[in-house]
Amino acid sequence: MRIPHPFCSITLLAATAAASIFGSVRGIIHDPQHRPVQDAMVMLKAKSSEWSKTANTDANGEFTFNAVPLGDYEISVANPGFAQAVQSVVVNSGSQPVVHFQLKLAAANETVDVSGMAEVAPTDSATPITLVNRLDIARTPGASRSNSLAMITDYVPGSYVTHDQLHIRGGHQTSWLVDGVPVPNTNIASNLGPQFDPKDIDYMEIDRGSYSAEMGDRTYGVFNIVPRSGFERNNQGELILSAGNFFQTNDQLSLGSHTERFAYYASVNGNRSNLGIQTPVPQVVHDAANGYGGFGSLIFNVDPSNQLRFVTSLRKDYYQIPYDPSPNDIENNPVNGQYPSIGLRDGDHESDALVNFSWVHTFNSKALLTVSPFYHYNRANYDSSPSDIPTATTQDRGSTYVGGQVSFSANVAKNNLQAGIYSFYQHDNELFGVIFNDGSGNLPFSASEHRSGSLAAFFLDDKFKVTPWLTLMAGIRPTHFSGGVAENAISPRFGAALNIPHLNWTFRAFYGHYYQAPPLITASGPLVQFATANNLGFIPLHGERDEEHQYGVTIPYRGWTFDADTFRTNATNFFDHSNIGESNLFFPVTIAQAVIRGWEATLRSPRIAHRAQIHLAYSNQIAEGGGAITGGLTDFSLPGGLSPLDHDQRNTLNVGGDLILPRRSYASANVYCGSGFSNAFPGQPYPGNYLPQHTTFDLTAGKDFGEKYSISLNAMNVANRRVQLDNSVTFGGFHWNAPREIYAEFRYRFHY
């Protein structure tokens, strides 16, 4: 493998930090008579940093770039006698896009030929993928805030936040990966914000369904993060300060740099606001939130074949739980109150710590080994004021995960092989307590649980390129879980990608199985007695088993990319959550059956006239469940047959874009439209089975002052349209969307 410069050596090896964040780029170059062009110089350059690599074509006019990190790139070709040509290419994890150049003869007034061909997208994957970069995050309204999920919800069809939780493709269970290594967390819907501060992300690849075996088992969404590394900086720091209504601020200080063998990036952040999570009524009462955290990345090249990488992340967040202050409202009515909250003064404390170390060994240009031990600690404590009426409840949970992943990848002939082992040990400490302030005379109690478990999975994948236009995929993922129950699962997966030559349309199909391990939560002693007093029971939780069918097509045209797919997920032991009495606490449950089906579409434009870029994400989706509760709290059974789940929303649309304006200014916007979620109480006060449809408009305008300073003004829900989103059993039951938020942001870049 030829490396023309030491800087390219370290950046290239840095890109290969894990087997599932890189791909390769291949291509062929012809002259106007369609003869191969030998010894043409080809440069691959990242659009978001200074990363670059060069190669020369062989006697067949072919070139290859291996171990390319996921992201957006430009390929330029130069050869004496021909006009220089440039094309764009997108690299996703594990993909191998193929680029074709047909050079034109050089003219006296022509030096660069920017290809009018469609942007080259991967043609060897069955997975629908959305790629978001750090510029998208910085300019999407509200997306860069520490607790924001707009980087997902604005770009990914079928994703939205309701009852304070991210839902995607009709489910809760998602995986966060950093450098391709999973961050283990078996708990269900117990954390509110993203795993990482969006400002620390360089690229984010969102995969939804049709996963290869190495990507794991979280059926509904996989978020693969390439973090900031310091390669885009040279002794440079950035200070971000913001201030707005609800006394909000979201601030960060970051530093980063690199040498030929070493690179680092580090950041610290803090935030607070009087508007934290969704409120049960339009007014904002008892809803403050604050948090702080840090992130660090170290990369060291031992030699051209070995690299060491260390990633760590720390977060601590606190959310007040809002309540309805009016005793006459429908939820507080003493006769038929649905979810009384007037007497509650609850709070949610969350903390998270991650340490990930990777050793990367490159055998040659076709074989790579990655060994990644990790440690993850996650805590969620829900605490009440001792005087809460009718009961003051406490639930403290801390989960510790220790494990690792070993992954080997190789390109052999027409095969792209991936094999590896993923395993972790988990230990949970949980405390549940209740103080009775309802005059019943019941004595307070507390119960603690200490549970341990482990998971081990082996994965094997192969992509077989039958022809340049047909790729077949097959994989298997055997898994063993041991916790409250012991379970085994074998998850086979099959896929195909068919590329239509000349049109460059790619059709894909997939069929596969997934197994999602259950939380370790259980109940005994006083907790069981309390559940029984509320006509409840607790059944051991089993893992969710899913079957997925998916078909789709990707259509590139002159830099535009349109993607559409249809899918169906059949779930057994579908993970959801419920609560005990009026405690508003999460307890996981499994529903006997769920069916989620729908079709999705995304559209992404190139930079139009060098100024404007737009994106669209649409989903038509039905999420239904039915049958008895098969695990967790047995407080209800759904009616016979299938009925909508509480987060079922049939139509979801996001349309957004950004515009580069004169004098180094820009503007960006996003419009979100939702058809309305399931209505738990038809007729009170909303008729019908669904709550009202809702539309919000977000806007950002900014300006750079030289290379050091920039400012922006951000407005969320500009029209201040308020609507009840949800009335399900979560954090108080009723949830309204956020009111108008306006804040200004200041960025200062400096060298040290």
Side-chain angles (χ1 to χ4, degrees):
M1 184 165 56
R2 182 184 176 195
I3 301 175
H5 191 276
F7 176 73
C8 292
S9 173
I10 186 172
T11 53
L12 176 62
L13 193 53
T16 65
S20 58
I21 64 161
F22 79 96
S24 63
V25 178
R26 303 182 180 188
I28 186 169
I29 299 174
H30 289 123
D31 66 12
Q33 283 73 45
H34 208 71
R35 295 173 298 191
V37 178
Q38 186 177 1
D39 290 328
M41 190 185 78
V42 186
M43 174 177 282
L44 179 68
K45 187 180 185 308
K47 291 184 177 180
S48 62
S49 72
E50 295 180 355
W51 187 97
S52 66
K53 181 168 172 58
T54 61
N56 289 84
T57 55
D58 60 19
N60 296 317
E62 298 177 351
F63 63 89
T64 301
F65 295 105
N66 290 304
V68 179
L70 65 89
D72 298 310
Y73 295 86
E74 281 189 346
I75 301 178
S76 58
V77 177
N79 199 57
F82 297 96
Q84 183 178 343
V86 178
Q87 282 196 50
S88 295
V89 64
V90 177
V91 177
N92 294 321
S93 57
S95 68
Q96 296 181 331
V98 179
V99 185
H100 176 247
F101 283 89
Q102 184 160 341
L103 300 183
K104 297 179 181 179
L105 295 176
N109 59 350
E110 181 181 36
T111 57
V112 178
D113 174 27
V114 179
S115 174
M117 297 175 60
E119 185 173 70
V120 177
T123 60
D124 57 354
S125 173
T127 306
I129 294 172
T130 300
L131 193 64
V132 178
N133 60 44
R134 69 173 183 266
L135 182 61
D136 294 329
I137 294 171
R139 293 193 174 180
T140 298
S144 64
R145 294 186 291 181
S146 296
N147 293 321
S148 175
L149 290 160
M151 61 182 175
I152 299 171
T153 57
D154 284 10
Y155 291 90
V156 181
S159 63
Y160 37 72
V161 174
T162 183
H163 46 258
D164 305 304
Q165 300 291 331
L166 174 67
H167 297 75
I168 178 171
R169 280 206 164 187
H172 307 81
Q173 300 287 77
T174 59
S175 285
W176 290 85
L177 287 70
V178 57
D179 283 342
V181 180
V183 179
N185 193 346
T186 62
N187 297 290
I188 300 172
S190 61
N191 295 101
L192 303 186
Q195 177 67 50
F196 302 101
D197 190 310
K199 294 184 286 296
D200 293 321
I201 295 173
D202 191 22
Y203 274 95
M204 181 178 189
E205 179 187 83
I206 302 108
D207 302 340
R208 52 188 199 280
S210 300
Y211 310 120
S212 60
E214 67 161 336
M215 295 301 288
D217 288 296
R218 293 300 180 98
T219 311
Y220 307 104
V222 172
F223 311 129
N224 196 359
I225 300 299
V226 179
R228 305 285 290 270
S229 64
F231 282 113
E232 76 280 6
R233 297 184 175 191
N234 187 11
N235 291 329
Q236 188 182 65
E238 185 175 53
L239 176 65
I240 301 175
L241 303 173
S242 70
N245 64 339
F246 298 103
F247 296 97
Q248 66 175 289
T249 185
N250 199 296
D251 311 316
Q252 185 192 60
L253 173 65
S254 62
L255 305 171
S257 191
H258 63 270
T259 66
E260 292 184 355
R261 298 184 62 190
F262 177 75
Y264 69 88
Y265 170 86
S267 70
V268 291
N269 66 78
N271 68 88
R272 65 98 47 220
S273 176
N274 284 348
L275 176 65
I277 60 179
Q278 294 171 350
T279 56
V281 286
Q283 58 264 44
V284 178
V285 181
H286 193 260
D287 196 21
N290 60 73
Y292 57 89
F295 183 88
S297 171
L298 301 174
I299 298 174
F300 177 63
N301 258 14
V302 180
D303 55 46
S305 298
N306 294 278
Q307 181 204 68
L308 304 177
R309 178 158 186 165
F310 176 82
V311 175
T312 185
S313 174
L314 301 170
R315 288 196 62 169
K316 196 170 184 66
D317 297 285
Y318 170 68
Y319 304 90
Q320 289 182 337
I321 307 304
Y323 63 89
D324 180 358
S326 173
N328 298 317
D329 283 353
I330 188 171
E331 81 169 354
N332 288 328
N333 188 294
V335 177
N336 60 355
Q338 293 161 350
Y339 298 120
S341 65
I342 190 171
L344 305 182
R345 301 296 183 271
D346 300 349
D348 182 51
H349 297 260
E350 299 184 8
S351 55
D352 192 272
L354 170 71
V355 178
N356 179 308
F357 175 80
S358 291
W359 168 52
V360 184
H361 179 67
T362 305
F363 294 96
N364 51 50
S365 62
K366 295 185 178 181
L368 180 73
L369 173 69
T370 305
V371 180
S372 302
F374 56 73
Y375 166 85
H376 183 217
Y377 176 77
N378 181 265
R379 190 167 188 85
N381 294 349
Y382 190 101
D383 300 310
S384 300
S385 168
S387 59
D388 275 4
I389 298 174
T391 59
T393 53
T394 298
Q395 183 184 26
D396 295 346
R397 175 197 56 79
S399 301
T400 301
Y401 306 83
V402 179
Q405 177 171 281
V406 178
S407 180
F408 174 78
S409 64
N411 292 316
V412 181
K414 294 184 177 181
N415 297 275
N416 183 6
L417 298 169
Q418 300 276 350
I421 299 172
Y422 170 68
S423 180
F424 63 81
Y425 167 81
Q426 176 183 355
H427 180 75
D428 278 14
N429 292 311
E430 188 143 10
L431 172 69
F432 183 89
V434 179
I435 300 174
F436 297 90
N437 298 316
D438 57 357
S440 63
N442 293 324
L443 297 177
F445 74 84
S446 64
S448 60
E449 299 286 344
H450 305 278
R451 304 288 297 183
S452 297
S454 62
L455 181 144
F458 171 77
F459 55 86
L460 177 64
D461 270 311
D462 183 30
K463 289 184 178 180
F464 177 58
K465 210 165 190 64
V466 182
T467 69
W469 43 269
L470 175 62
T471 303
L472 300 179
M473 291 150 265
I476 191 166
R477 189 179 176 96
T479 303
H480 173 72
F481 172 77
S482 177
V485 297
E487 295 184 325
N488 296 297
I490 297 178
S491 304
R493 299 168 195 184
F494 305 94
L498 173 66
N499 182 255
I500 306 299
H502 305 298
L503 280 177
N504 207 25
W505 294 16
T506 300
F507 292 88
R508 58 183 186 270
F510 176 86
Y511 172 81
H513 287 253
Y514 309 97
Y515 166 78
Q516 303 184 58
L520 296 181
I521 188 171
T522 186
S524 62
L527 180 56
V528 171
Q529 298 173 13
F530 179 59
T532 303
N534 284 270
N535 299 315
L536 302 171
F538 196 94
I539 303 174
L541 289 157
H542 293 265
E544 180 177 327
R545 298 173 188 262
D546 301 327
E547 176 191 59
E548 183 187 66
H549 316 246
Q550 183 158 260
Y551 308 93
V553 60
T554 301
I555 302 175
Y557 180 74
R558 294 187 178 276
W560 293 75
T561 302
F562 174 77
D563 187 280
D565 64 78
T566 179
F567 71 94
R568 179 186 176 97
T569 301
N570 300 317
T572 302
N573 292 333
F574 176 77
F575 285 130
D576 211 331
H577 46 81
S578 186
N579 70 339
I580 292 182
E582 298 164 352
S583 62
N584 302 322
L585 302 183
F586 286 111
F587 274 83
V589 299
T590 52
I591 301 172
Q593 178 189 12
V595 176
I596 300 134
R597 59 193 187 275
W599 72 272
E600 306 167 330
T602 63
L603 179 68
R604 192 86 182 242
S605 79
R607 185 64 63 179
I608 303 169
H610 304 289
R611 289 193 176 275
Q613 189 171 36
I614 63 173
H615 59 85
L616 177 149
Y618 171 75
S619 172
N620 174 264
Q621 177 182 275
I622 299 174
E624 297 178 310
I629 298 299
T630 58
L633 290 174
T634 58
D635 63 334
F636 66 89
S637 291
L638 298 181
L642 296 174
S643 59
L645 296 168
D646 59 2
H647 52 263
D648 178 54
Q649 179 167 253
R650 299 300 166 93
N651 293 283
T652 309
L653 172 67
N654 276 277
V655 180
D658 68 272
L659 177 65
I660 299 175
L661 301 171
R663 300 180 182 275
R664 304 191 67 176
S665 301
Y666 68 90
S668 59
N670 189 81
V671 178
Y672 162 63
C673 304
S675 60
F677 295 100
S678 301
N679 186 3
F681 303 99
Q684 300 183 42
Y686 299 103
N689 294 322
Y690 287 87
L691 293 169
Q693 62 183 7
H694 44 277
T695 301
T696 57
F697 174 63
D698 305 329
L699 179 65
T700 294
K703 178 176 173 55
D704 295 331
F705 297 89
E707 298 298 325
K708 289 187 175 183
Y709 305 98
S710 62
I711 60 171
S712 64
L713 183 65
N714 303 264
M716 316 298 295
N717 190 7
V718 174
N720 199 30
R721 297 188 62 174
R722 305 303 310 282
V723 65
Q724 183 177 310
L725 288 179
D726 179 70
N727 51 17
S728 64
V729 185
T730 311
F731 276 177
F734 287 14
H735 304 88
W736 288 66
N737 66 321
R740 181 192 297 121
E741 297 179 77
I742 300 176
Y743 68 95
E745 183 179 87
F746 169 77
R747 291 178 180 245
Y748 170 58
R749 289 169 289 275
F750 59 93
H751 289 276
Y752 55 90

